[in-house]
């Protein structure tokens, strides 16, 4: 399944596979998103799989939110690798 990203206001829903092949679409949608919004919510509930490129893309978005003092919420159990990334980062 390809990657599909839908949005309504500041809520984005990601569906499909977020990997090296679909990373371009993700980056196009979220490029400079914090120039437009203060709060961003992303649902990864329907993400079937995510490789390290997808995890790094969301982590990069998280870092950008912190730097710009914006709010980013990631909802859903979409990917264990993403959960582990942030769990490890918080523990460090």
């Amino acid at each position: 399944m390809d990657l599909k990203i839908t949005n309504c206001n500041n809520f984005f829903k990601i569906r499909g596979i977020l990997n090296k092949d679909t990373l371009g679409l993700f980056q196009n949608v979220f490029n400079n998103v914090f120039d437009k919004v203060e709060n961003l919510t992303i649902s990864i509930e329907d993400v079937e799989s995510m490789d390290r490129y997808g995890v790094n893309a969301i982590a990069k978005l998280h870092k950008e939110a912190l730097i710009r003092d914006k709010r980013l919420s990631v909802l859903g159990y979409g990917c264990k690798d993403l959960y582990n990334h942030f769990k490890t980062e918080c523990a460090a």
Side-chain angles (χ1 to χ4, degrees):
M1 176 181 220
D2 290 337
L3 184 70
K4 294 182 183 180
I5 302 174
T6 56
N7 73 305
C8 181
N9 296 325
N10 299 346
F11 182 84
F12 288 79
K13 188 171 186 177
I14 301 175
R15 174 177 286 148
I17 299 170
L18 180 55
N19 61 17
K20 184 177 181 180
D21 297 329
T22 61
L23 188 61
L25 172 62
F26 182 89
Q27 290 173 332
N28 285 340
V29 170
F30 293 106
N31 187 32
N32 298 320
V33 71
F34 292 115
D35 290 341
K36 303 168 193 155
V37 300
E38 293 292 319
N39 301 309
L40 177 65
T41 303
I42 300 174
S43 172
I44 60 169
E45 188 71 32
D46 294 326
V47 173
E48 294 176 14
S49 68
M50 186 182 302
D51 67 3
R52 66 185 172 111
Y53 295 98
V55 171
N56 288 335
I58 293 179
K60 181 180 174 187
L61 201 59
H62 176 252
K63 284 183 182 180
E64 183 180 353
L66 292 174
I67 290 169
R68 293 176 167 232
D69 198 28
K70 307 287 181 152
R71 290 186 178 174
L72 171 66
S73 301
V74 180
L75 308 174
Y77 297 109
C79 179
K80 185 176 181 180
D81 291 333
L82 182 63
Y83 171 78
N84 287 339
H85 173 81
F86 285 107
K87 182 179 174 185
T88 303
E89 191 171 284
C90 288

